[in-house]
Amino acid sequence: MTDKPTVLFVCVHNAGRSQMAAGWLRAIAGDRVEVLSAGSAPKDQINPVAVEAMAEAGVDIANNVPKVLTTDAVRESDVVITMGCGDVCPIFPGKRYEDWELDDPAGQGIEAVRPIRDEIRARVERLVAEVLPEPASA
């Protein structure tokens, strides 16, 4: 893994879970991590309830745009986190892959999306601790 790891979050529509995860990683790790997100069948816009849930937590994902998953995005990533996209993700040797089983926020109200948002945050915090270990103190 490079000094600045690249993390790719993938879900089917790139409109909810993967966008929330990308938002959390940017908020928590800042510019220490390159953050990508994509979907195997992206929607035309971010789920507005996911945007609302993240805004409640102080993270703005309103201007994000769903993107299609490409082989290049996987190839350039150090860590690939899938969220219910099945077998559509290309597999490259030497990459770290994780599948996060999370409820899909599509069609859900804010009360159902908040716990998904909070679970994603907890997982992103663990991921940051693993890919960005604290530097040794002098």
Side-chain angles (χ1 to χ4, degrees):
M1 199 171 303
T2 59
D3 289 342
K4 184 174 182 176
T6 300
V7 177
L8 169 63
F9 295 102
V10 182
C11 67
V12 175
H13 299 301
N14 192 222
R17 295 167 288 189
S18 56
Q19 291 287 351
M20 289 191 287
W24 278 125
L25 185 54
R26 286 186 187 100
I28 294 166
D31 63 0
R32 298 177 298 157
V33 175
E34 185 70 30
V35 182
L36 304 172
S37 71
S40 54
K43 291 282 192 185
D44 58 352
Q45 69 178 24
I46 305 290
N47 177 338
V49 181
V51 171
E52 179 185 355
M54 292 298 286
E56 287 179 355
V59 178
D60 182 7
I61 62 169
N63 293 321
N64 293 8
V65 178
K67 295 170 213 62
V68 68
L69 176 64
T70 65
T71 302
D72 286 343
V74 178
R75 185 179 292 119
E76 67 188 52
S77 298
D78 298 298
V79 179
V80 179
I81 308 289
T82 58
M83 303 171 183
C85 69
D87 297 330
V88 299
C89 295
I91 304 292
F92 290 98
K95 307 282 180 206
R96 173 178 167 179
Y97 291 89
E98 290 185 26
D99 185 52
W100 291 359
E101 290 190 25
L102 297 160
D103 290 336
D104 189 346
Q108 303 290 326
I110 191 70
E111 294 297 327
V113 174
R114 285 182 184 125
I116 299 167
R117 172 201 64 199
D118 296 344
E119 174 65 20
I120 291 171
R121 179 182 183 153
R123 290 178 187 228
V124 167
E125 287 172 343
R126 286 191 297 271
L127 179 67
V128 167
E130 293 168 5
V131 301
L132 291 176
E134 292 299 315
S137 53

